Amino acid sequence: QIKERTVINLAVLRAWLPKSVEALANYDRRTFAADLTAGLTVGMVALPLAYVAACFFSKRREWAWRTHRFTLPSGRLALAQLGLSSLNWALIGAIVWQLMPRELGFGTVLATQLSAAVIAVPTHVPGGLGVLEAVYVAVLGARVPTTSLIAALLAFRALYYVLPLAVAAALHLALELGARRRRKNKVNPTLPAA
């Protein structure tokens, strides 16, 4: 049985671990000069490494902060979280990259996507609506036409949010209609013809 605090722990770490791995993967000496960027990158890499190390080596499995209690998963589960969440963000980046103008490289699009995700967290805007677009325009607007960026991001939102919602709604409707039909047949079973 998964405890509520473990589920919360998994959800928070699923969002932050891959960003740390991607920050390390996109390390570029020319753009690493700013102290703030360097500190954030080091922090984004160090935090999940400390988390994974704690999951493997900590004798204390439960932690508390204010009114929240956290249970550390096993080291293997922490590595699985890191791997799956990194794959998730890489796939999101690949979808956005396929929709972007060709002159943008995958690393550039992925780094921009991850930056937008980090910036969107404190805004509490569902899906980072507007934040994602603003970050892309601010970061890449000088390299490609803004209209191309916005069009690609609208297509991404349609594929990533609207399409799954439409499929789920259609499946839900089909299941509900099937259940209604079964209930009706149970109440009024038809008699076989004589």
Side-chain angles (χ1 to χ4, degrees):
Q1 179 181 357
I2 297 178
K3 297 178 182 176
E4 181 180 337
R5 60 183 175 236
T6 303
V7 172
I8 292 169
N9 190 20
L10 294 175
V12 169
L13 291 168
R14 185 196 70 79
W16 288 97
L17 286 175
K19 291 176 183 63
S20 305
V21 171
E22 297 300 336
L24 184 60
N26 289 316
Y27 173 78
D28 182 359
R29 289 179 194 266
R30 293 168 295 178
T31 59
F32 198 72
D35 290 340
L36 179 60
T37 304
L40 289 173
T41 302
V42 168
M44 288 179 71
V45 171
L47 187 63
L49 290 178
Y51 167 72
V52 170
C55 290
F56 270 106
F57 304 114
S58 178
K59 299 211 184 309
R60 184 174 159 197
R61 306 310 293 171
E62 289 202 17
W63 297 78
W65 182 65
R66 295 185 180 181
T67 61
H68 304 285
R69 299 184 62 77
F70 302 96
T71 302
L72 289 178
S74 67
R76 288 179 59 195
L77 182 57
L79 287 175
Q81 289 173 338
L82 180 62
L84 289 173
S85 56
S86 296
L87 177 64
N88 176 54
W89 282 104
L91 290 174
I92 291 171
I95 293 168
V96 175
W97 179 59
Q98 287 298 312
L99 299 168
M100 285 288 166
R102 291 293 125 217
E103 56 265 23
L104 296 176
F106 176 70
T108 300
V109 172
L110 182 60
T112 306
Q113 181 73 28
L114 294 172
S115 299
V118 170
I119 291 169
V121 168
T123 66
H124 300 289
V125 175
L129 189 60
V131 178
L132 178 72
E133 292 79 2
V135 170
Y136 268 92
V137 169
V139 173
L140 303 174
R143 293 177 59 185
V144 294
T146 301
T147 54
S148 298
L149 291 173
I150 298 299
L153 293 172
L154 287 174
F156 164 71
R157 289 198 179 279
L159 288 170
Y160 195 76
Y161 295 108
V162 177
L163 181 63
L165 178 63
V167 170
L171 288 173
H172 179 70
L173 180 64
L175 290 172
E176 285 296 319
L177 291 174
R180 184 177 293 173
R181 196 170 27 254
R182 283 190 297 279
R183 280 192 306 269
K184 184 178 176 184
N185 289 339
K186 231 181 211 185
V187 173
N188 287 327
T190 56
L191 297 174

